[in-house]
């Protein structure tokens, strides 16, 4: 079981397949985001601070190619 809360929950979901690949194929792996809610809204400065944060996460961890193509074919990986 790979579990995380808040930003750790984001990591648990995004890296679930990588974590699973560390074990033999017969091993059952479950990944769970315990808590976390990231609202994509305009902040008090008029910007999208959470989009910038997620952009940093996606770029730093190189997640562009690990996210589902069914999503990234029509929206940016940071969304």
């Amino acid at each position: 079981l790979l579990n995380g809360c808040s930003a750790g929950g984001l990591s648990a979901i995004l890296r679930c397949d990588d974590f699973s690949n560390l074990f033999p194929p017969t091993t059952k792996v479950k990944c769970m985001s315990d808590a976390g809610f990231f609202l994509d809204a305009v902040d008090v400065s008029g910007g999208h601070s959470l989009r910038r944060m997620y952009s940093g996460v996606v770029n730093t961890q190189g997640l562009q190619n690990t996210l589902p193509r069914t999503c990234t074919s029509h929206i940016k990986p940071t969304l």
Side-chain angles (χ1 to χ4, degrees):
L1 174 64
L2 179 63
N3 184 19
C5 182
S6 192
L10 171 66
S11 300
I13 297 302
L14 293 176
R15 292 299 184 176
C16 186
D17 291 338
D18 295 334
F19 180 69
S20 179
N21 289 335
L22 297 173
F23 301 96
T26 56
T27 304
K28 289 185 179 183
V29 172
K30 302 290 181 181
C31 300
M32 180 177 79
S33 177
D34 191 14
F37 181 73
F38 301 96
L39 187 62
D40 182 30
V42 176
D43 58 29
V44 295
S45 69
H48 287 92
S49 58
L50 285 178
R51 285 187 191 182
R52 286 191 304 275
M53 181 196 70
Y54 273 101
S55 178
V57 170
V58 169
N59 293 326
T60 299
Q61 295 187 17
L63 299 173
Q64 297 87 341
N65 296 326
T66 63
L67 298 170
R69 292 289 307 145
T70 54
C71 293
T72 59
S73 65
H74 64 278
I75 60 174
K76 295 178 183 178
T78 55
L79 296 177

